[in-house]
Amino acid sequence: MPIATVNPANGETLKTYQAMGEEEVERRLQLAEATFRTYRTTTFDERARMLHRAADLLDEDQDEAARMLTTEMGKPLRQARAEAAKCAKAMRWYADNAADLLADEEPDASDVKDSGASRALVRYRPLGPVLAVMPWNFPLWQVVRFAAPALMAGNVGLLKHASNVPQTALYLEDLFHRAGFPEGTFQTLLIGSAAVDDVLRDERVRAATLTGSEPAGRAVASTAGEMIKKTVLELGGSDPFVVMPSADVERAAQVAVTARVQNNGQSCIAAKRFIVHTDVYDAFAERFAAGMKALTVGDPMEDGTDVGPLASEQGRADLEELVDDAVRSGATVLCGGERPDGPGWFYPPTVLADITREMRIHREEAFGPVATLYRAADLDEAVLIANDSPFGLSSNVWTRDEAEVDRFVRDLEAGGVFVNGMTASHPALPFGGVKRSGYGRELSGHGIREFCNITTVWHGA
């Protein structure tokens, strides 16, 4: 895949970049290692000052940055602005909280007395250069939610971004440089996917994080395992959205539309499988399909647009294959289901009912504005359908019954359970999944500690 900006709204190639050669990659690896030796000794106050400056610069750049995101991957412009604002918020949160999150932990002296210690503590120390392999769907946010905690912990970052968002990748390197971070603290590697393995195998790279597809996660995890390096993986998701009889069905249907089509439906944590109790199924299905059908699909630069194009021609083709397979196998199309004529990689908001286990879309992630609708006889069947997936990123549950909430929280196989609302990520809350959705956590205190050397310090009597 070429490293290029291709406008998904019309298919026009706007800018192409030459991949970095071995010499340039080597130079950047040397610089990362050298920078880490001194950057690791900076104080939390120094790091926080620079990260606050990066947040201020991003706020100043918000309109320009948003247009860049929309041009490169097609999300509606207002959502791109919101993404930039969210990144600045996360930077400030980690700047303000990292020192407390990584403060020394000292057990009670009586607990370690029998070890012969007069004192013992746990200290969090940085690991070194961390490789981040990041996706195109949230080109700023996915990187910042790694970079902000990693830099505040004293690590340095090496970014291998998706090949269709090179301008965003270069912008991020420049942003941190302008904010005052030493050269080499955060560097972009303009390389193809085939070059990732060599970088990950380099002994100067101490750990890696990847957000992306399951095959990409397998490849990184395999190499990292061979090299015995720490990894965090956030992979695909096919999140359930369960609606029970006690729910506010009208509100649930409204939120369901947003939950499915956010980011043009190209989000790992977008709700994808809508599992509705039979008592409210018809009412929900009618409202949900009507809401999806009413969305405005068009130019993502226009503020009135709800859904822009998919990010790539291949992405649209993959989505069409899933829909066509489901329809051939008996799925009912409640709305959408056919690509529009004209330029760009657009696909209409689509709702499919009568889904069966034999359909590919039941097992595979639909990365676009396509929803699948299931009918459940009771709570037990709702849980069975929800868990009948290789993925386990997040989940949404709509009920006013606290006993049902407790059951869902206990039984759903997911990294998050959002009750009467849609899944969203927040700096203060851990984010990640189970099963084939990956392992490890981003954000919160859990996220900043993922790339730390958790060090026991023991003092003799």
Side-chain angles (χ1 to χ4, degrees), residues 19 37 135 173 202 233 278 342 448:
R37 295 194 198 106
E173 178 179 305
D202 193 289
L233 303 181
T278 189
I448 197 172

Side-chain angles (χ1 to χ4, degrees), residues 141-439:
W141 172 241
Q142 301 281 9
V143 178
V144 166
R145 74 184 193 187
F146 146 73
L151 297 180
M152 283 303 301
N155 296 299
V156 301
L158 293 162
L159 170 65
K160 190 286 179 208
H161 217 326
S163 294
N164 60 332
V165 290
Q167 293 186 50
T168 304
L170 294 170
Y171 169 80
L172 283 160
E173 178 179 305
D174 181 62
L175 176 70
F176 288 114
H177 181 71
R178 286 189 288 143
F181 284 93
E183 185 183 9
T185 308
F186 185 93
Q187 299 179 85
T188 284
L189 303 178
L190 283 185
I191 56 176
S193 298
V196 170
D197 191 72
D198 286 342
V199 175
L200 184 53
R201 289 179 182 277
D202 193 289
E203 292 187 358
R204 290 164 293 192
V205 175
R206 300 300 180 87
T209 180
L210 177 141
T211 298
S213 68
E214 185 181 338
R218 289 180 185 275
V220 165
S222 177
T223 297
E226 183 182 340
M227 303 302 295
I228 314 179
K229 294 183 180 182
K230 174 69 179 289
T231 54
V232 170
L233 303 181
E234 193 263 281
L235 308 178
S238 190
D239 290 3
F241 188 106
V242 182
V243 182
M244 298 298 288
S246 66
D248 181 339
V249 174
E250 184 169 351
R251 176 62 179 159
Q254 291 174 349
V255 174
V257 172
T258 303
R260 184 62 202 96
V261 303
Q262 60 174 315
N263 208 49
N264 301 340
Q266 300 166 122
S267 170
C268 295
I269 56 169
K272 298 183 177 79
R273 297 178 296 131
F274 296 82
I275 303 162
V276 186
H277 191 283
T278 189
D279 290 353
V280 292
Y281 179 91
D282 291 338
F284 177 88
E286 180 182 359
R287 289 171 171 80
F288 181 45
M292 292 281 279
K293 190 174 182 179
L295 295 170
T296 299
V297 180
D299 184 351
M301 289 293 184
E302 298 292 334
D303 282 340
T305 296
D306 298 308
V307 180
L310 298 189
S312 70
E313 189 172 16
Q314 185 61 54
R316 181 173 68 172
D318 292 343
L319 189 66
E320 284 184 301
E321 286 183 12
L322 290 180
V323 173
D324 292 347
D325 172 79
V327 172
R328 284 194 302 268
S329 301
T332 301
V333 180
L334 301 187
C335 68
E338 294 184 7
R339 75 153 77 174
D341 294 329
W345 301 314
F346 294 91
Y347 197 82
T350 299
V351 179
L352 302 177
D354 303 314
I355 304 299
T356 64
R357 298 187 78 249
E358 292 71 31
M359 298 172 185
R360 287 178 55 200
I361 202 166
H362 176 75
R363 305 183 305 274
E364 299 177 29
E365 180 180 19
F367 218 58
V370 175
T372 52
L373 198 54
Y374 298 79
R375 186 190 297 265
D378 53 28
L379 184 148
D380 289 333
E381 186 176 20
V383 170
L384 284 173
I385 297 171
N387 288 341
D388 189 23
S389 169
F391 301 106
L393 193 52
S394 189
S395 61
N396 310 260
V397 174
W398 289 75
T399 176
R400 294 189 177 105
D401 186 323
E402 286 302 318
E404 289 181 348
V405 172
D406 290 342
R407 276 288 310 279
F408 284 120
V409 172
R410 185 192 74 182
D411 293 341
L412 288 178
E413 297 169 350
V417 180
F418 285 68
V419 181
N420 297 327
M422 60 179 272
T423 297
S425 54
H426 187 281
L429 299 174
F431 182 87
V434 296
K435 300 197 289 188
R436 294 186 187 177
S437 289
Y439 52 75

